[in-house]
Amino acid sequence: MKFSFEQLFKFTKSIFIKIGCPEEEAETAAKVLLSADLRGVDSHGVARLSGYVRLWEANRINATPSIKIIHETPSTAVVDGDGGLGLVVAPFAMQVAIDKAKIAGTGWVSVKNSNHYGIAGQHAMMALEHDMIGISMTNASPLVSPTFSTERLLGTNPIAVAIPAKSQPPFVADFASTTAANGKLEILKRKSEEAPLGWIQDKNGNPTTSPDGVKDGGALLPLGGDREHGSHKGYALGAIVDIFSAVLSGANYGPWVPPFVAFLQPDPNPVGEGLGHFFGAMRIDAFRPADEFKSNMDIWINRFRKAETISGQEKVLIPGDPERELEAERRSIGIPLLKPVEEDLRALGEKFGVEF
Amino acid sequence: MKFSFEQLFKFTKSIFIKIGCPEEEAETAAKVLLSADLRGVDSHGVARLSGYVRLWEANRINATPSIKIIHETPSTAVVDGDGGLGLVVAPFAMQVAIDKAKIAGTGWVSVKNSNHYGIAGQHAMMALEHDMIGISMTNASPLVSPTFSTERLLGTNPIAVAIPAKSQPPFVADFASTTAANGKLEILKRKSEEAPLGWIQDKNGNPTTSPDGVKDGGALLPLGGDREHGSHKGYALGAIVDIFSAVLSGANYGPWVPPFVAFLQPDPNPVGEGLGHFFGAMRIDAFRPADEFKSNMDIWINRFRKAETISGQEKVLIPGDPERELEAERRSIGIPLLKPVEEDLRALGEKFGVEF
């Protein structure tokens, strides 16, 4: 069943207003949340709306935060999200990075006391219209074991980098530092399919293909899967995201990151405040004339796009291609929602007196 | 056969002086090159010395470069390496990043017209003594195929991030954006062992376990190995390194990066100058007091170090642990060199009248 972007946007914005968000922030939050549905990251879009509401009901989200810069230099800032929606805190912080870059060449902002911020790529892409490179990362609820461990100490900690081109669409990489995102396991579960080896381990750290592996006490694996295939590199990437997002800002890190689901309690002895993000903006002409750079990005993109393919493969993709194509399609013919998600939204609407 | 650091350092420095490097630069180059041998990245150390000399003989390395900043803002710079040794250009550029960070909070330097710079981690670690986070990356000769392609369009493009702690040794991640580095294939070849699946593909893009796969027209695979295991993420990482290092600076990128081996000619129609690097330095106290940050890094490191292990695994490692332990060992009992490397150095010494 497909729904128009406009319908879902209006509904989502209304729900955020119902929980007390000021109108402008409700609009920002709805836009950020729905960018996930448009770009095909269905696990991070409206499917999570009722999850955010449950966190608010548990007094773990502040609908009227006073988001502010608590420390800064010409090219850096630390932002305190005051327990607000990450969907609102993140665009604020990314804007600070962009404003810093306008003057100092680059801007780098670490954020504490925030919540889950939707998809990483959406925030990085804010830089593009300013002829800047945008960078966005966040830590997240612990579901990932470092190489050799049975404990879940890291989130899927994504990294996004958005880079403008000239005639070509921008390069937009947005990926978890794990082999597969958690959302993919949910899809397999629904289809009653097994997961490929290298995605997850069971509670003893043994490879498993059960899509319930994580739920049953196992963990997602860092990109690489096992030591022989470079999982120590995925672990290092996830660790870097965690440290930049939370140790730099004063948020919770590692196993202390508060869980997204309201039925799990945050650690009673936190090491910081909320969860953390990290944003960067680099003005292209702080390095070389923007037009020259963007012409070279066109050459780069064209060369990779036209690369010879392995037999049976249609084409080599540029990061951001699949999401952009999906967004065009979904803006025109609508966003598909699974039945349980639709029912969940309908129930949410009834609860708050908002028509779905 | 083991050799003392001092002996190898003296020899290497003398060779660099013989090819015309000023004494101070010869010393820097020798120090950077040998940091690879100390830290166990044997493929990037003295084993490459004769390779650098052959590039110089082919007029592809300038022993007396005039390295300079050609563009800058408070937090950025572009450095022109003037065709010098990357081993000398990189420390110059990293120092520029550190100096920028002292004033603007962070410093970001993209470099063109350089050559191979040794191991990425060595440059990133320059930031540590200043209570800064150091970042270092470089592009390299094309040996890696993007997901779905048979063409070699990227180098192993490594990323290094060095982060200071308080009582704990620093966190130092330094890894190629491929499943396995090329040096590992050389080791397998010498032992006549097969490579694990997921490391390389043959010239048609099929998985292969032959350690000669790359030599025979195949390619190294991006971290992840194949699409199902996230190779598009390793490809994106390698691409980001390429773009930051070369499209931002005006160096060659993708398949145009000049080969390290002197018997392969650079592309007659280059898209830039030499190869490129990218460096970053972030002053910790541009975000929060350095002591507070470093105490939290200790907590982070201790928590991960004490994580429960999978049965049969001794401990969970912190990025940088194995290299640091190896460096302590090799500084005390010497650096092992393979017979062919030793013979190669001896021949080099005879050629230049330097005692090995």
Side-chain angles (χ1 to χ4, degrees):
Chain A
M1 184 75 174
K2 290 199 174 84
F3 299 85
S4 76
F5 170 78
E6 290 69 25
Q7 180 189 353
L8 293 176
F9 178 80
K10 199 176 150 213
F11 176 78
T12 304
K13 181 182 160 186
S14 300
I15 295 291
F16 282 131
I17 286 175
K18 285 286 180 183
I19 68 170
C21 297
E23 181 167 358
E24 200 186 334
E25 295 187 5
E27 198 159 317
T28 300
K31 185 185 155 199
V32 170
L33 192 68
L34 279 166
S35 71
D37 296 288
L38 285 173
R39 294 176 70 78
V41 192
D42 299 350
S43 54
H44 284 55
V46 281
R48 282 199 169 185
L49 181 57
S50 63
Y52 284 100
V53 170
R54 280 192 294 272
L55 278 178
W56 168 76
E57 287 168 337
N59 286 318
R60 282 162 55 187
I61 281 180
N62 178 1
T64 54
S66 166
I67 307 165
K68 48 178 176 286
I69 295 173
I70 56 169
H71 185 70
E72 62 185 318
T73 72
S75 74
T76 67
V78 172
V79 162
D80 182 335
D82 196 22
L85 285 164
L87 307 168
V88 172
V89 175
F92 176 98
M94 186 69 201
Q95 189 59 50
V96 173
I98 290 168
D99 292 341
K100 294 264 173 202
K102 283 179 187 165
I103 295 165
T106 66
W108 305 88
V109 178
S110 191
V111 179
K112 70 172 177 178
N113 209 357
S114 186
N115 282 286
H116 287 260
Y117 78 176
I119 54 168
Q122 174 66 19
H123 311 300
M125 288 171 75
M126 281 175 63
L128 294 173
E129 64 181 297
H130 303 282
D131 274 358
M132 294 181 186
I133 292 174
I135 297 168
S136 159
M137 49 186 92
T138 185
N139 68 7
S141 321
L143 289 173
V144 183
S145 289
T147 306
F148 300 151
S149 181
T150 54
E151 286 194 86
R152 306 203 286 217
L153 297 183
L154 289 168
T156 52
N157 298 6
I159 300 173
V161 178
I163 305 174
K166 195 172 174 178
S167 318
Q168 289 291 328
F171 173 110
V172 182
D174 180 358
F175 54 91
S177 53
T178 48
T179 304
N182 205 25
K184 294 214 174 150
L185 290 185
E186 287 166 23
I187 294 167
L188 290 178
K189 246 185 280 190
R190 258 179 253 124
K191 296 185 185 166
S192 303
E193 286 178 8
E194 305 254 283
L197 276 174
W199 285 24
I200 42 179
Q201 65 182 21
D202 68 17
K203 65 180 196 294
N204 300 315
N206 297 317
T208 176
T209 58
S210 161
D212 287 318
V214 177
K215 210 190 69 189
D216 295 345
L220 288 167
L221 292 170
L223 179 58
D226 59 28
R227 178 63 180 76
E228 188 171 77
H229 294 88
S231 69
H232 55 302
K233 303 179 184 192
Y235 156 38
L237 266 182
I240 291 163
V241 171
D242 195 34
I243 294 165
F244 283 17
S245 299
V247 187
L248 265 184
S249 64
N252 287 292
Y253 43 80
W256 290 279
V257 176
F260 179 73
V261 288
F263 61 84
L264 290 177
Q265 292 309 307
D267 194 294
N269 300 301
V271 292
E273 295 172 85
L275 57 72
H277 320 303
F278 186 77
F279 302 100
M282 300 198 284
R283 219 174 69 213
I284 298 296
D285 67 6
F287 294 92
R288 71 190 293 196
D291 196 65
E292 218 177 273
F293 173 87
K294 291 195 285 184
S295 296
N296 276 280
M297 277 306 297
D298 278 0
I299 298 173
W300 194 101
I301 289 170
N302 276 317
R303 180 65 184 86
F304 279 71
R305 211 188 280 294
K306 288 175 187 157
E308 280 188 44
T309 55
I310 294 172
S311 167
Q313 298 295 347
E314 197 193 336
K315 56 183 178 180
V316 171
L317 300 170
I318 305 302
D321 279 354
E323 296 85 356
R324 194 184 57 254
E325 283 164 21
L326 212 51
E327 175 164 356
E329 181 187 308
R330 290 183 169 189
R331 277 198 189 271
S332 103
I333 65 170
I335 296 168
L337 295 183
L338 293 169
K339 198 73 200 162
V341 173
E342 185 191 332
E343 283 164 7
D344 189 48
L345 293 177
R346 225 173 273 287
L348 201 60
E350 274 165 30
K351 183 171 179 179
F352 285 97
V354 176
E355 198 190 349
F356 180 66
Chain B
M1 182 81 176
K2 290 200 173 82
F3 298 85
S4 76
F5 170 78
E6 289 70 25
Q7 179 189 353
L8 292 176
F9 177 80
K10 201 175 150 216
F11 176 78
T12 304
K13 182 182 158 185
S14 300
I15 294 291
F16 283 131
I17 287 175
K18 286 284 180 184
I19 68 169
C21 297
E23 180 166 357
E24 200 186 333
E25 295 187 6
E27 197 159 317
T28 299
K31 185 184 155 201
V32 170
L33 191 69
L34 279 166
S35 71
D37 296 288
L38 285 172
R39 293 176 72 79
V41 192
D42 299 351
S43 54
H44 284 54
V46 282
R48 283 201 168 184
L49 181 56
S50 63
Y52 284 100
V53 171
R54 280 191 294 273
L55 278 178
W56 169 76
E57 287 169 336
N59 287 317
R60 282 162 55 187
I61 281 180
N62 177 0
T64 54
S66 167
I67 307 166
K68 49 178 175 287
I69 295 174
I70 55 169
H71 185 71
E72 63 186 317
T73 72
S75 74
T76 67
V78 172
V79 163
D80 182 335
D82 197 22
L85 284 163
L87 307 168
V88 172
V89 175
F92 176 98
M94 186 68 201
Q95 189 60 50
V96 172
I98 290 168
D99 292 343
K100 295 264 172 201
K102 283 178 187 164
I103 295 167
T106 66
W108 306 87
V109 178
S110 191
V111 179
K112 70 171 177 178
N113 209 356
S114 186
N115 281 285
H116 287 260
Y117 79 176
I119 54 168
Q122 174 66 18
H123 311 300
M125 289 171 73
M126 282 175 63
L128 294 172
E129 64 180 295
H130 303 282
D131 274 358
M132 293 182 186
I133 291 174
I135 297 168
S136 158
M137 50 186 92
T138 186
N139 69 6
S141 322
L143 288 174
V144 183
S145 289
T147 305
F148 299 151
S149 181
T150 53
E151 286 193 86
R152 306 203 287 215
L153 298 183
L154 290 168
T156 53
N157 298 5
I159 300 174
V161 178
I163 305 174
K166 195 172 174 178
S167 318
Q168 289 291 329
F171 172 110
V172 183
D174 180 358
F175 54 91
S177 53
T178 48
T179 305
N182 205 26
K184 293 214 174 151
L185 291 185
E186 288 166 22
I187 295 168
L188 291 178
K189 247 185 278 190
R190 258 179 251 124
K191 295 187 187 166
S192 302
E193 285 178 9
E194 303 254 284
L197 276 173
W199 286 24
I200 41 177
Q201 66 183 20
D202 67 18
K203 65 180 195 296
N204 300 315
N206 297 316
T208 176
T209 59
S210 160
D212 286 317
V214 177
K215 210 190 68 189
D216 295 343
L220 288 168
L221 292 169
L223 179 58
D226 59 27
R227 177 63 180 76
E228 187 171 79
H229 294 87
S231 69
H232 54 302
K233 303 179 184 192
Y235 156 39
L237 266 183
I240 292 162
V241 171
D242 195 34
I243 293 165
F244 283 18
S245 300
V247 187
L248 264 185
S249 64
N252 287 292
Y253 43 80
W256 290 279
V257 176
F260 179 72
V261 289
F263 61 86
L264 289 177
Q265 292 309 308
D267 194 295
N269 299 302
V271 292
E273 295 172 86
L275 57 71
H277 320 304
F278 186 77
F279 302 99
M282 299 198 285
R283 219 174 69 213
I284 298 297
D285 68 5
F287 295 92
R288 72 190 292 197
D291 195 66
E292 219 176 272
F293 173 88
K294 292 195 285 183
S295 296
N296 276 280
M297 277 307 296
D298 278 0
I299 298 173
W300 194 102
I301 289 170
N302 276 317
R303 180 66 185 85
F304 278 71
R305 211 188 280 296
K306 288 175 186 155
E308 281 189 45
T309 55
I310 295 172
S311 168
Q313 298 295 348
E314 197 192 335
K315 58 183 176 180
V316 171
L317 300 170
I318 306 301
D321 278 355
E323 296 86 355
R324 194 183 57 254
E325 284 164 21
L326 212 51
E327 175 164 354
E329 182 188 307
R330 290 184 168 188
R331 277 198 188 272
S332 103
I333 64 169
I335 294 168
L337 295 184
L338 293 169
K339 198 73 199 161
V341 173
E342 187 191 331
E343 283 163 8
D344 188 48
L345 293 176
R346 225 173 272 288
L348 200 60
E350 274 165 31
K351 183 171 178 178
F352 285 97
V354 176
E355 198 190 350
F356 180 68

